């Protein structure tokens, strides 16, 4: 069995703002799990890889953009646990540090134009027709197996929290967190901060993974995308510099920068009752900073 023993620390976040508003804030350091199979990507892979192994498949085939944390996580996990890996990359052939790392970990990269990329099941079927060991892993690890791995974050917590925050791309992680809280009968309010423009797609994404699960403890925040996926602004980069230089906790503009920004903004605007306890999940993905490093020059 694949050794997936994870237990990331929970650390306090001490800021004057939180004191002033009588808030207790902690951060779950899933960024410490692994440098490249980082954070929620590692969580998601636990049951995905076990399923592949159970059906005797040894070749992971997956999808992502040119700066995808998910592609890198699959490449690295594949090398670590003995799977071949193939990544379909959206768009024209390019080279960048993320894709070079994927190649170093042994991933075969296949660039596909945006029109073809839209039909992932077809791309997969064509590939798998010649590769009987192939196993489909959806973009971003979106699946109930992926969410089940993320739900285990809740099992690791030393205490219950009134609010839990996480950044959302596909919604897999927040779905798992909500599932974990529901299973344990916790009344925690889950806050998903969407990092893409395009409205409130998170409840539907969560519902598709867990059709039975009530969603009244789910809030999605759609106003913190800073222009869309992988977009940033001087306000966001200044916030990231300030947060990281003050805490020693690195965050990046694609996911965790927007996440932490939302928390500070909501606290500033008295969104939380005094006395509330809040947990922020640091979902890792720090290599994302490489694609936007010039914003910090
Ligand atoms: C992929 C990723 C997310 C998005 O997670 P979803 O489960 O797809 O919503 C959040 N944070 C980081 C750092 C990521 O790499």
């Amino acid at each position: 069995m694949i050794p997936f023993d994870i237990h990331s620390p929970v650390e306090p976040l001490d800021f004057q703002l939180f004191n002033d508003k009588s808030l207790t804030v902690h951060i779950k350091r899933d960024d410490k799990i692994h440098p490249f199979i980082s954070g929620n990507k590692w969580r998601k892979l636990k049951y995905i890889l076990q399923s592949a192994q159970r059906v005797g498949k040894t070749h992971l085939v997956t999808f992502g953009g040119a700066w995808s944390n998910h592609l890198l996580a699959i490449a690295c996990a594949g090398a670590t646990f003995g799977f071949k890996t193939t990544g379909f990359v959206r768009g024209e052939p390019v080279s960048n540090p993320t894709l070079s790392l994927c190649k170093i970990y042994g991933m075969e990269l296949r660039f596909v134009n945006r029109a073809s990329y839209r039909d992932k099941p077809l791309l997969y079927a064509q590939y798998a027709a010649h590769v009987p060991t192939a196993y489909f892993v959806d973009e971003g690890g979106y699946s109930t197996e992926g969410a089940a791995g993320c739900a285990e974050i809740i099992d690791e917590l030393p205490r219950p929290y009134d609010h839990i925050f996480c950044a959302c791309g596909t919604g897999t992680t927040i779905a798992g967190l909500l599932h974990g809280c529901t299973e344990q009968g916790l009344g925690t309010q889950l806050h998903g901060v969407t990092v893409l423009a395009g409205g409130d797609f998170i409840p539907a994404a969560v519902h598709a993974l867990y059709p039975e699960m009530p969603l009244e403890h789910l809030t999605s925040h759609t106003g913190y995308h800073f222009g869309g996926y992988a977009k940033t602004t001087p306000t966001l980069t200044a916030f990231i510099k300030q947060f990281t230089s003050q805490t020693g906790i690195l965050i990046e503009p694609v996911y965790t920068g927007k996440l932490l920004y939302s928390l500070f903004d909501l606290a500033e605007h008295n969104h939380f009752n005094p006395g509330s306890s809040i947990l922020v999940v640091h979902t890792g993905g720090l290599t994302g900073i490489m694609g936007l490093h010039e914003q910090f020059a």
Side-chain angles (χ1 to χ4, degrees):
M1 200 35 93
I2 294 165
F4 259 100
D5 205 8
I6 324 175
H7 199 106
S8 76
V10 172
E11 297 170 359
L13 272 187
D14 295 320
F15 279 85
Q16 192 56 46
L17 171 66
F18 301 146
N19 284 340
D20 293 347
K21 306 286 181 185
S22 302
L23 303 173
T24 312
V25 183
H26 288 86
I27 184 164
K28 175 86 167 143
R29 298 292 307 275
D30 268 17
D31 56 312
K32 289 189 169 179
I33 291 174
H34 188 282
F36 297 126
I37 320 178
S38 179
N40 62 350
K41 301 303 183 288
W42 176 278
R43 301 272 179 192
K44 289 176 190 182
L45 285 176
K46 176 175 178 179
Y47 293 112
I48 292 174
L49 297 193
Q50 286 183 6
S51 294
Q53 199 177 46
R54 198 163 46 241
V55 294
K57 300 293 188 182
T58 54
H59 188 151
L60 309 172
V61 180
T62 197
F63 304 84
W67 291 98
S68 166
N69 295 333
H70 168 72
L71 281 183
L72 179 52
I74 289 280
C76 184
T80 307
F81 299 120
F83 294 86
K84 280 189 167 183
T85 55
T86 296
F88 283 91
V89 188
R90 184 180 59 237
E92 294 303 302
V94 287
S95 78
N96 69 38
T98 297
L99 293 176
S100 295
L101 281 167
C102 289
K103 286 202 233 171
I104 293 170
Y105 280 113
M107 178 175 262
E108 175 207 12
L109 299 179
R110 298 196 158 206
F111 293 91
V112 286
N113 66 46
R114 279 156 201 274
S116 315
Y117 188 86
R118 254 172 240 132
D119 197 348
K120 286 171 234 162
L122 179 66
L123 285 173
Y124 176 75
Q126 286 167 345
Y127 187 85
H130 307 284
V131 183
T133 52
Y135 188 80
F136 176 85
V137 182
D138 206 348
E139 181 166 20
Y142 181 71
S143 56
T144 24
E145 278 114 346
C150 296
E152 294 179 352
I153 292 173
I154 302 299
D155 304 334
E156 290 177 16
L157 299 181
R159 50 164 285 187
Y161 293 87
D162 298 318
H163 302 274
I164 297 182
F165 272 75
C166 95
C168 294
T170 65
T172 314
T173 307
I174 192 101
L177 293 172
L178 187 58
H179 181 69
C181 286
T182 306
E183 290 286 283
Q184 293 202 17
L186 299 171
T188 307
Q189 194 65 28
L190 270 293
H191 298 260
V193 179
T194 50
V195 302
L196 298 87
D200 199 3
F201 54 89
I202 294 302
V206 171
H207 180 73
L209 292 177
Y210 293 106
E212 310 290 320
M213 187 166 66
L215 300 182
E216 75 257 26
H217 291 304
L218 175 66
T219 306
S220 49
H221 298 277
T222 56
Y224 295 103
H225 59 70
F226 290 87
Y229 184 71
K231 297 283 196 305
T232 183
T233 68
T235 305
L236 182 61
T237 51
F239 169 79
I240 288 170
K241 278 186 202 162
Q242 205 198 334
F243 177 86
T244 295
S245 62
Q246 216 173 314
T247 57
I249 300 172
L250 187 59
I251 54 175
E252 46 66 52
V254 185
Y255 294 102
T256 49
K258 294 174 183 178
L259 170 70
L260 268 305
Y261 187 96
S262 76
L263 173 67
F264 279 73
D265 191 56
L266 292 166
E268 189 77 59
H269 291 96
N270 301 313
H271 185 82
F272 310 103
N273 292 329
S276 297
S277 58
I278 301 170
L279 180 78
V280 188
V281 181
H282 192 318
T283 39
L286 293 169
T287 48
I289 215 158
M290 296 189 297
L292 292 163
H293 74 97
E294 280 164 0
Q295 309 290 330
F296 295 90

